[in-house]
Structures are given as C-alpha cells and as structure tokens.
Amino acid sequence: MLPGPSGAGMFHSDFSNSPGNGPGAWSLWLAFVLGCLALPLMPVLLPAQWLAPALLLLFAPFRVRSLQLVAAGVLGLAWTSFHADRTLDDQWPDPRAGEVVTVTGTVSGLVETRDRRARFMLHTDDGQDKDIPGRIRVDWHWFTGMPRSGEAWSFELRMQPPGSRRNPGGFDSSRWFLSERIGAAATVAGEAGRLKSAKRRSVADFRLALSEWLQAETTRLEPAALHRALSVADRSAIPRELSETLRRTGTAHLLAISGLHVGMVFASAAFALRWLLAPLGFLPGAPVPGRLSLAGGLIAAAAYALLAGFTLPTRRALVMLFVAVAGLLCRRAIRPGQALLAALVAVLVLDPLAPLSTGFWLSFGAVAVLVWGFAWRPGREGALRGLLRAQLLVAAGLLALNVAVFGQLVPGAFLANLVAIPLVAFWVLPCLLFSIALALAGFHEWAGLPLGFSDQGLVFLMEFIRTVEGLPGGWFAMPTAQGIIVALAFVGGLWLVAPRGVPGRALAPLLMLPLLIPGTTELDKGEFDVMVLDVGHGQSVLVKTASQTWLIGTGPGDGEGQDLVASTIEPVFRSAGRRELDLLIASPERRGYAGGLPGVVETWDPPRILAWPGYPGAAEPCVRGKTHRANGVDLEVLHPAPALPDLGDNSGCVVRVAGKAGSILIAGSVDDAVEARLANHGPSPDARVLVAGRHGHEESSTRSFIQAVNPGKVIFSAGAGNRFELPREETLKRLNALEIPHAGTNHCGAVTVTFRKDRMPATGSVRGASHRFWDRAAASSCP
C-alpha cells in the first residue's frame, strides 16, 4: 500500500485478498486484464492450446493457490491470442495480392464520399472463394452508382492484404485493420452492379441523410464538416488544414466522437431528467427521480452511440457507463478502482482485440488518471477548480502516451482544452443534439435556431484554437522514444499526480526528462544517416548530416493534396528529431517520385529544390553536375545530362551521396539503358549501398551495372503486395548469384543505413527492430 493519508489505502484495498490463503476475485480479474493488455507487445501469439490449461489452473482446487494469479494472466493472454489468430486467418493471403476477383456482399455502415471516391465496408456473402474475408474495406474511384447501407452488390475487386507502410512515427494500418477485424483492402477494378436494394432504411441511411441535412443547413464550410463529425462520426469533409490545426493544439479528440462525448451526453441527459422529474420525489410510491434520470441518461448515451455508428470508443464508453450505473442502481458500493477494473474486464471479454486500438489506451488511461487523482480527495470542489485540476491531471498523467503515440509535445493543449472542453460540452454539442431532436420531431423550422447557435460556437472555438496555435512554444515535434523511456515517463506522470502524502513527488519529473529532452545521435564531419521510406509504389529517401536534412523523392501523390506528406513523411521527420528541410530533389515528373512535391514545399519550404525542367517554382533543374555539400558529406547528380530531352522515367535523377564514412547511390527511376551509360561513361557510380532503380524491375539493376557499383547491400523501394510483383524474381536472382544481400521496404518497412567513420555501413529496418505478430513479413528476413 502506498504510504500517505488514510485515503491512500483505498486504491490498494480495491484489489485486496479475500479471506483465506489465495487471491481475491478482484486480484484475479486484475491479473486477467494485465494478460490481455500484453497483446500489443507480443512478437508471436500465444498458442490457443494454452486456453484449457489456464482454465484448469484457475478453477481447479490447487493447494498453491497463488498459481491462480499466473493462470489468470495466461488466460487473459490466451483469450486475446485466440481471437487475434482467428482474425488473422480471415485476412486475404499475401500470395494473392493484386488479384481481381468477383465478390458479392452487403454494404454496411456510413458510405464516405470525397473527390469522386466512395469508401465503405462490405460484409461478404458465404459460399464464395474460401479466402474471401468476412469484412472488406472498399475504395471505389469515380464511382458510377452510389452504394447505400443494406444494399447487396457485386463487385470486381482488386484485393490487397491489410498490409501497412511501416515507418518510424507513422500510423500502423496493419494493427488498425486487425483491431477492426477487416480482412482486406480492395479497390473496384471492373464491373459493379447492385443486386438488390435495401429492404428497409437502416441506421446508416439515417446517418447519411442526417449528414447531408447538416451540410445543407450549415452555411460555413468548417462548422458543417465539424457538425457531421460530432453527430454521425463522418470526418471525411474535414479539410486537411483544419485537421492539422486540431492535432497541433491537442483538441482533435473533442471533434472525433469518443467516450468523452458519450459521457457528456449521459451527464447532460441525466441532469435534465433529474430536474424535470424532481416533482416525483413528493409523490408517495413514485419511482425515485435519481434512478430514473440515471437510466434515462444511459438510454440517451446509447442513442448517441448508435447515431455515431457504434464505433469502438463509443462501445467502450457505454460499457463503462453501464457498469457505473448498474452499481448505483443496485446500491452496491463499488470503489472507483473496482468500477474501472470491471469496465476493463467487460470490454476485454466483449472485444478481445481492443488493446490494439490507440483509443483504448487513451480513453482508459484518461479515466484511470482521473480516478487516481480525484479518488484521494473526498471534498467537493468548484466547477472551475475541478476542470483545472482535471486538465492538469490528464496533461501530466498521459504526457508519455501522447508523446509516444502522436510524436508531439503540446504545451498549448492545456489552454486550448480549458476553453474547448466546456465550450463543446455545454454549448456546441447540446445545441447540435437539440437541433437534431427537433428535426426528427418534425419541427424543421425551429431546428435551425439551435443549429445556428452551435454553428456560432464552433466558429468561436476555431478562432480561439487558431490563436492558441499561433502562440510561441505551443507545439513541439518529438522524436520517437524507446519503450523503456516511455514506460518510465508514464510512471513519472502517475507519481507526479499522486496525493500529497506520497513521498518523493518532486523527483517524478526526473523520470520524465529522458522523454522530454531526448538525446540525439551526434554526427561527426563526413558521417550521415540514410532512410529509405516505405511509401508503397514510389520512392522517398531521407538523408541526415550533422546539421542538414535532404529529401530525395516525395513519394506518390496526385499533386493536389492526396499524398503521404502528412501521414508518412512528416512523422518520420519528427521521429528523427528534424524540423527543417534544407534540400529537396524531386524528379522525374511522375506521381510515384514527385507526387507529394506541393505538400513538401508547403510544409517545409526548403531553401533549395532540384526538380525537372519546367517545374513551376523557384527550383533548379536536376541535371548532371549539380552538387550540394554540408558537414563533409557531398551529394552529386550523375544523371540526366543537361542537353537530354525528356525521356520519361529515364529523365529521373540518379544521385550519389558520399562522405568519409561511405557512399550510397540512389538510382531512382532509370532502366538498363541509363545504367549502361552510367557504368561506362562519366563519373564512377561505385557505392557501398545501392537503392535500386524502378523498384527492382527486371529492366534495371543489370549484372554489369551492379558490378560497376559494387555495393555491399541493395535496397528496394516497393509497396507490400504490389500488383507489379516488384522487386521481380529475375532481379533477386541476379543479386543472389552475385552474393549481394538485399532488403525491401515491401517486407521490412523503412530501411535505414548509418554511415560512421571506421565502420562498415550498418543496415536496419522498422520491422527488424520491432516485429509484432500482426506484421506479415518474417522478422528474420529483415535487417
């Protein structure tokens, strides 16, 4: 038990032993929960056969009852492993990536549309190809018929495994697909036809109609998009710039329906009902108003969760509310820690894959920190003081998780949320829901009044948030930290918000310093680091010297905002501890190599750009003879020659980066014709490491070129499961015959090479460094 005031024993007694020699029920449940929570850390899954032995150990009358705690933990891990294994078995197999198959199924959920693209979930019919997953996320570009929830359709789909681009600090979509139990990502590649219309209007149809009504009734673009997000969880209309503002101010959670919103609806409905039903307290034999208000609040929260599509965060919040309300209605004295544990158990039993969701950790973490911080203080506090304390508790307690998950430190989030939370809770959301209720009741002429109030609240909110965003020191990008540093910082955060009686609280910040002031790898003159980013069918290579950062290629994109800059390249910059871009090379004018150029320029505004001739900007042509030097590291463009006409992909830049510690050649998009010219004419292309051209196509990386470069390692930039089967088997056979090791981003995620003096270049990869069971590639094949 923690030393301190008498209230400090409360948290410990929540999980105290029952009479006898063995652990109590709460202790067993806690061990079960800890076993379940270990799932995201597993490199491989626990065999399902461990379920039965764990149950026997748990329920058999053993003399050594302490083994039951171990059995409960193993049972929790086996429970989650069993469900994860079944979900993985339902995923589309890697060998069939890119295959076009005919699939029939029923559209479910809200259909999102943006820029002539529809995205929806398809529940497939039984009796088809045995490899067809039960749930498929479908993208339909330039769709010709608007699918609606409940309709049966037949599609020719190009199927892809739920793979993931793996980059430092980036979003792990493989983990997300698994947590959502989605077995494949597909695009409509041929015929599509409606088999039958929905028999009746579904909840999703109602959500779509409501989304369209809100869009039409709200006069401003941003409030309309936010109204849709707050009511039906449709975030497809939120502009990219607004999403970035919300992220940089730590307020994105307020405008994405989560447990906080469900709790707001519950509290508002319960309070309103308690006030309306107060006269019942004077009638003999009448129901207790307090109980009726709690039950009504729970019904209102469930209705709001249904409106939001019963997403995972809303389901978790409903379970937590149900546990708390059930305890109050049954007049059972459940301590805060026990209530939280009961909710955790209920969620993990109903949704064993919940620990794979980031929202699970943030939502339960926030509740745990508030329980930890407020349970010791039985006295009543004013609303303003309570809000201030809650903000401080959550900011300090979840600091480690926020830095680890989002790669950012947001001091301005305290000020932003101090205004934003009550504004959304007491102004925007009540007005919005009241407007929807009036519209459903048929009072359309009255519904616009509260909707206008909600509109004004959002306008004020966005003006305030943008003011906070502009304050100096409100946001800092943070590099990726090791797991042990995050764990120590999390313990430090909990220690910091502990009650006054806990000793040594002043030392808690020391545990957080390694996370807040991360050490950086110092590069000497002539040393540099290279990272070949995992950008799918494209190329982007990051080079770091002691003081400069260079980017060669921007990855795929359409040049109009649909690119990987915000989702992939910028998080890599943050994880590397770099904020500025000193040199950008983007050539040729192809989507895979320069599709993200506008986004990169907008984000970093690099002082020097080498691009293709005719690029409409302040750029130099990327031609042979161009050089760049910093910190003893030289970059030289070897191709194309200045006088050459446009040769398509063969006009792409071939770049060599060299220092005292070694060299790397980035072949870009050229084929064997250019490779032959490089091998026989001009500067020598020799390098210790080669980033192969054309993603490993058989028309590149010829034997003569490889021998001229004489690399010790070859790296391929290719997408996982790409339909072009890159890198090609012929290319790999050539390298194997020459006994040259190779690695590809398609299997290993981002590949890194470090060049240090007096050492051979060292190669690593994201999957090789931290392999998890949902990674489809074997860790043994990655450096």
Side-chain angles (χ1 to χ4, degrees):
M1 182 172 67
L2 289 171
S6 58
M10 173 173 54
F11 224 79
H12 177 267
S13 62
D14 284 355
F15 312 114
S16 60
N17 289 351
S18 60
N21 299 322
W26 290 109
S27 298
L28 291 175
W29 284 122
L30 179 60
F32 173 81
V33 166
L34 292 177
C36 293
L37 297 184
L39 179 68
L41 304 176
M42 299 295 293
V44 294
L45 290 173
L46 194 68
Q49 293 83 349
W50 283 55
L51 270 174
L55 285 169
L56 290 175
L57 282 174
L58 187 60
F59 296 113
F62 281 97
R63 292 181 181 273
V64 186
R65 294 184 63 191
S66 59
L67 287 177
Q68 289 185 343
L69 285 175
V70 177
V74 173
L75 179 64
L77 185 54
W79 172 252
T80 53
S81 296
F82 171 73
H83 286 271
D85 185 61
R86 289 185 60 186
T87 307
L88 287 172
D89 285 342
D90 189 47
Q91 292 185 346
W92 185 253
D94 284 339
R96 299 183 64 182
E99 185 176 328
V100 177
V101 296
T102 300
V103 180
T104 60
T106 303
V107 177
S108 66
L110 189 67
V111 179
E112 299 179 4
T113 59
R114 174 183 285 186
D115 298 330
R116 294 296 299 164
R117 183 192 71 180
R119 171 172 287 181
F120 52 90
M121 205 65 62
L122 186 71
H123 281 266
T124 59
D125 298 333
D126 296 331
Q128 303 182 86
D129 185 333
K130 63 181 181 64
D131 288 331
I132 299 293
R135 296 186 75 208
I136 303 174
R137 192 192 71 181
V138 179
D139 283 306
W140 192 358
H141 299 275
W142 303 102
F143 57 95
T144 56
M146 181 64 179
R148 291 186 175 271
S149 181
E151 293 180 342
W153 281 73
S154 174
F155 295 103
E156 287 186 6
L157 298 178
R158 176 167 285 110
M159 303 288 287
Q160 294 289 349
S164 172
R165 291 185 292 269
R166 289 293 304 275
N167 296 281
F171 178 68
D172 189 348
S173 61
S174 287
R175 176 172 171 168
W176 179 82
F177 272 106
L178 181 61
S179 69
E180 296 286 334
R181 293 175 173 81
I182 302 173
T187 56
V188 178
E191 297 293 330
R194 184 183 287 107
L195 299 180
K196 60 179 179 180
S197 301
K199 295 181 180 179
R200 56 185 179 182
R201 290 182 63 84
S202 64
V203 174
D205 286 329
F206 170 73
R207 293 172 64 211
L208 178 62
L210 180 59
S211 176
E212 293 172 348
W213 177 76
L214 289 170
Q215 186 75 39
E217 291 294 321
T218 309
T219 57
R220 299 177 179 90
L221 178 62
E222 286 188 351
L226 296 177
H227 276 154
R228 292 168 62 179
L230 283 169
S231 58
V232 297
D234 179 9
R235 296 174 57 85
S236 60
I238 297 180
R240 175 176 169 177
E241 182 270 336
L242 178 56
S243 296
E244 187 67 11
T245 295
L246 296 173
R247 183 182 69 83
R248 285 176 173 261
T249 54
T251 54
H253 66 100
L254 284 175
L255 300 168
I257 295 178
S258 64
L260 176 64
H261 301 78
V262 176
M264 289 176 181
V265 172
F266 168 80
S268 300
F271 176 80
L273 286 172
R274 182 65 181 264
W275 182 74
L276 291 173
L277 299 175
L280 291 177
F282 299 100
L283 300 177
V288 180
R291 292 191 177 187
L292 289 177
S293 64
L294 289 176
L298 192 60
I299 293 173
Y304 181 57
L306 181 65
L307 187 65
F310 265 126
T311 59
L312 285 176
T314 59
R315 293 203 297 266
R316 288 194 295 266
L318 282 178
V319 171
M320 295 175 70
L321 284 174
F322 179 81
V323 170
V325 171
L328 292 172
L329 293 179
C330 297
R331 296 183 177 179
R332 296 294 300 272
I334 300 180
R335 295 186 177 92
Q338 290 176 339
L340 179 62
L341 180 59
L344 264 171
V345 171
V347 168
L348 292 171
V349 169
L350 297 173
D351 184 14
L353 301 185
L356 296 175
S357 168
T358 300
F360 169 87
W361 293 92
L362 293 176
S363 59
F364 273 106
V367 175
V369 168
L370 291 174
V371 169
W372 173 255
F374 278 101
W376 322 98
R377 301 174 173 89
R380 293 182 176 272
E381 291 183 324
L384 180 58
R385 187 175 179 181
L387 179 61
L388 285 170
R389 188 185 299 279
Q391 285 298 305
L392 288 171
L393 289 172
V394 172
L398 295 186
L399 177 65
L401 284 180
N402 281 315
V403 171
V405 172
F406 301 110
Q408 60 180 11
L409 178 64
V410 191
F414 175 77
L415 176 60
N417 282 289
L418 195 62
V419 173
I421 288 179
L423 185 64
V424 172
F426 301 114
W427 181 350
V428 174
L429 193 57
C431 290
L432 174 61
L433 295 180
F434 185 47
S435 172
I436 293 173
L438 288 175
L440 292 177
F443 300 102
H444 298 283
E445 64 277 7
W446 294 98
L449 183 62
L451 188 64
F453 282 124
S454 178
D455 188 335
Q456 290 297 326
L458 287 173
V459 170
F460 175 76
L461 175 65
M462 296 316 303
E463 290 178 353
F464 174 76
I465 286 177
R466 287 194 168 96
T467 300
V468 173
E469 184 185 21
L471 295 177
W475 177 88
F476 299 98
M478 299 296 290
T480 302
Q482 296 180 351
I484 184 63
I485 293 178
V486 175
L488 288 175
F490 182 70
V491 172
L494 292 180
W495 193 5
L496 187 64
V497 301
R500 293 180 180 178
V502 175
R505 286 198 307 165
L507 300 176
L510 296 178
L511 295 178
M512 307 172 74
L513 281 179
L515 182 71
L516 300 178
I517 309 176
T520 57
T521 302
E522 296 294 336
L523 297 176
D524 292 335
K525 187 175 181 179
E527 296 181 342
F528 61 102
D529 292 338
V530 176
M531 180 183 296
V532 182
L533 276 60
D534 183 5
V535 293
H537 191 63
Q539 188 179 92
S540 185
V541 181
L542 183 72
V543 180
K544 295 190 304 177
T545 70
S547 64
Q548 288 201 2
T549 309
W550 308 335
L551 187 66
I552 304 168
T554 65
D558 62 1
E560 298 178 357
Q562 296 296 323
D563 53 44
L564 301 181
V565 177
S567 63
T568 299
I569 299 178
E570 189 175 5
V572 168
F573 266 71
R574 291 200 302 267
S575 69
R578 298 297 176 99
R579 301 180 184 179
E580 304 295 332
L581 178 61
D582 301 283
L583 171 67
L584 170 63
I585 297 179
S587 181
E589 187 182 2
R590 296 293 184 270
R591 286 192 171 190
Y593 295 85
L597 178 58
V600 171
V601 172
E602 180 182 353
T603 303
W604 288 284
D605 191 19
R608 190 179 186 193
I609 302 174
L610 300 181
W612 61 89
Y615 168 71
E620 307 169 42
C622 187
V623 293
R624 189 176 66 199
K626 292 289 184 179
T627 61
H628 192 87
R629 180 179 178 84
N631 312 118
V633 180
D634 294 297
L635 180 146
E636 181 183 8
V637 179
L638 305 184
H639 176 82
L644 285 176
D646 183 11
L647 301 175
D649 285 341
N650 274 336
S651 291
C653 288
V654 178
V655 176
R656 185 174 183 269
V657 181
K660 293 182 179 179
S663 58
I664 183 170
L665 183 71
I666 303 168
S669 60
V670 301
D671 63 12
D672 51 359
V674 175
E675 289 182 348
R677 184 178 183 84
L678 289 171
N680 299 311
H681 305 281
S684 173
D686 68 292
R688 292 300 304 152
V689 180
L690 169 67
V691 179
R694 292 204 174 185
H695 321 288
H697 197 278
E698 71 268 20
E699 294 180 356
S700 64
S701 302
T702 60
R703 186 182 184 91
S704 59
F705 181 68
I706 294 294
Q707 289 175 332
V709 176
N710 191 27
K713 186 84 172 186
V714 174
I715 301 172
F716 299 103
S717 176
N722 66 85
R723 60 193 176 101
F724 306 104
E725 298 182 356
L726 299 171
R728 292 290 178 83
E729 189 66 27
E730 297 90 334
T731 305
L732 300 180
K733 286 181 179 179
R734 284 199 290 267
L735 295 176
N736 293 333
L738 294 170
E739 298 183 350
I740 298 176
H742 48 82
T745 59
N746 54 326
H747 290 305
C748 302
V751 179
T752 59
V753 188
T754 57
F755 293 86
R756 299 292 183 271
K757 294 178 182 177
D758 305 321
R759 300 183 202 170
M760 295 294 291
T763 309
S765 67
V766 173
R767 283 199 173 96
S770 59
H771 185 268
R772 294 293 182 264
F773 68 87
W774 58 83
D775 287 328
R776 307 177 71 88
S780 58
S781 64
C782 298

